[in-house]
Amino acid sequence: MPRTLVTGGAGFLGSHLCEYLLRKDHEVVCMDNLITGSKDNIADIKSDKFQFVEHNVSEFINVKGALDYVLHFASPASPMDYLDFPIQTLKVGALGTHNALGLAKTKGAVFFLASSAEVYGDPLIHPQPEKYWGNVNPIGPRGVYDEAKRFAEAITMAYHRTHRLDTKISRIFNTYGPRMRINDGRAIPNFLRQALTGKDVTIYGEGSQTRSFCYISDLIEGIYRLLVSDQNAPVNLGSPDEMTVKEMADKILQATNSASRIAHTAAVEDDPKIRQPDITRAKKYLNWEPVVGLDKGLRATLKYFKEQLRT
Ligand code: UDP
């Protein structure tokens, strides 16, 4: 039975990942400092093959026993969070990644990095293939996250080249689904919360900026396929189904049958104007592409948000 560490395991992606790995018969050590993650996300995991450790991975990581895989998912990930925790975001991308790599090296484990579409910044190439180097403002408000992820990729490749560590890098595009926090601050949770509570749906700027939203189960399947693949180069994981933020807001108003109105607020600094992954590599090497349509994914997410608002 493989033994696996998931940093950020109590977060949105991390908790779904822990559950998936348990289903694949991994023994899972879930590590999180709970600054944006929550024990509620892992409360339903009853397996005796699962262990939670509260720890900030920007500090030295100590795990007793063998490890076959180290999956580094710890980081604030919502723009609102990395504006609230800019230094923690930089530290977990830099020091946290270094610690997680060092641990993987000591244990002889495969290392997996949760990188981000943010490495492409406000892209000048569309859709974004992995060979694109990006257009990032290092000193802007999003720079703390973008540069942390870019550093994380650089040090991951350095460990791969220097120490021959078996490393994988996923560039994760916008993902949604149950366990996003009600007050997460990202577009889908904001729009759902606002629509369900009769508040104005806030669109930052014109709403002509685009995103491509991937449902959580599709993303997790892609992550697992990359983990067990022989791909050491970065692979984009996300949905190519691109839409404007305004279209998403309308879709959510419709799905919730809400009487909320749309309110345009000031545009956000350095907000990427367009984003869509080129998933040619994922299709070719992982035989992966998203299969859950937006309507189905939104229904499941809406159900979760309704439950959360009730409690
Ligand atoms: N957005 C918005 N209203 C909100 C939250 C987000 O118009 O209440 C926009 C945001 O400016 C961005 C897009 O929705 O253009 C996606 O933002 P999100 O925070 O979900 O993630 P990002 O892709 O920017 O990391």
Side-chain angles (χ1 to χ4, degrees):
M1 176 181 271
R3 188 158 183 263
T4 301
L5 172 70
V6 180
T7 78
F12 164 48
L13 303 186
S15 61
H16 285 280
L17 188 56
C18 287
E19 287 177 341
Y20 185 100
L21 292 168
L22 287 164
R23 287 201 296 277
K24 290 282 181 189
D25 280 333
H26 286 229
E27 187 181 331
V28 175
V29 181
C30 164
M31 195 170 270
D32 206 298
N33 68 348
L34 304 175
I35 67 166
T36 57
S38 164
K39 278 194 182 168
D40 290 346
N41 289 336
I42 49 171
D44 290 340
I45 301 180
K46 300 294 177 226
S47 168
D48 59 355
K49 303 286 178 239
F50 180 77
Q51 182 194 352
F52 173 71
V53 180
E54 189 169 339
H55 178 67
N56 177 1
V57 297
S58 299
E59 311 286 338
F60 184 84
I61 308 170
N62 194 7
V63 175
K64 287 205 181 71
L67 282 175
D68 301 287
Y69 299 98
V70 172
L71 290 90
H72 184 38
F73 278 69
S75 177
S78 160
M80 191 185 79
D81 289 330
Y82 47 80
L83 294 178
D84 282 347
F85 304 111
I87 297 176
Q88 290 94 327
T89 302
L90 280 159
K91 284 176 80 172
V92 77
L95 309 179
T97 306
H98 185 213
N99 289 332
L101 281 162
L103 178 72
K105 177 167 162 269
T106 304
K107 305 283 188 186
V110 174
F111 178 82
F112 186 104
L113 176 68
S115 184
S116 169
E118 283 286 329
V119 301
Y120 301 122
D122 188 8
L124 304 176
I125 303 267
H126 195 70
Q128 294 80 55
E130 291 86 349
K131 65 176 190 286
Y132 178 47
W133 293 350
N135 177 39
V136 169
N137 174 7
I139 57 165
R142 301 173 84 103
V144 295
Y145 186 70
D146 301 8
E147 296 298 0
K149 290 296 185 190
R150 290 167 69 95
F151 176 89
E153 290 198 8
I155 193 170
T156 298
M157 288 312 293
Y159 266 68
H160 173 63
R161 294 190 182 111
T162 309
H163 298 306
R164 304 261 159 250
L165 201 66
D166 187 2
T167 58
K168 324 285 175 194
I169 298 175
S170 62
R171 291 187 179 150
I172 299 171
F173 284 66
N174 295 66
T175 304
Y176 71 99
R179 299 205 193 122
M180 289 188 104
R181 293 161 305 160
I182 291 279
N183 293 312
D184 176 277
R186 280 177 279 193
I188 290 184
N190 267 8
F191 296 167
L192 281 173
R193 189 193 71 245
Q194 291 159 340
L196 288 171
T197 56
K199 304 261 164 48
D200 285 354
V201 167
T202 54
I203 291 185
Y204 304 155
E206 293 296 310
S208 56
Q209 65 270 43
T210 69
R211 293 295 186 272
S212 315
F213 296 95
C214 183
Y215 188 64
I216 181 70
S217 58
D218 280 333
L219 181 83
I220 299 294
E221 180 63 34
I223 287 168
Y224 184 76
R225 290 193 193 191
L226 176 56
L227 180 69
V228 297
S229 78
D230 57 4
Q231 290 301 305
N232 298 124
V235 179
N236 287 338
L237 293 176
S239 166
D241 191 6
E242 183 182 2
M243 63 176 62
T244 67
V245 166
K246 171 77 169 60
E247 282 166 344
M248 176 53 85
D250 287 337
K251 185 120 201 132
I252 288 182
L253 285 173
Q254 206 180 26
T256 50
N257 230 339
S258 172
S260 288
R261 286 201 303 236
I262 286 180
H264 289 270
T265 63
V268 178
E269 197 180 339
D270 292 341
D271 196 5
K273 286 181 274 304
I274 44 173
R275 180 182 288 163
Q276 187 202 134
D278 178 334
I279 59 166
T280 308
R281 280 179 55 79
K283 280 186 184 160
K284 182 169 170 194
Y285 296 114
L286 313 179
N287 191 25
W288 175 86
E289 64 183 312
V291 294
V292 179
L294 189 59
D295 287 330
K296 187 171 172 201
L298 275 182
R299 262 199 307 279
T301 313
L302 176 59
K303 181 166 173 282
Y304 175 81
F305 271 67
K306 279 184 174 163
E307 285 161 11
Q308 293 298 300
L309 284 167
R310 241 180 264 128
T311 53

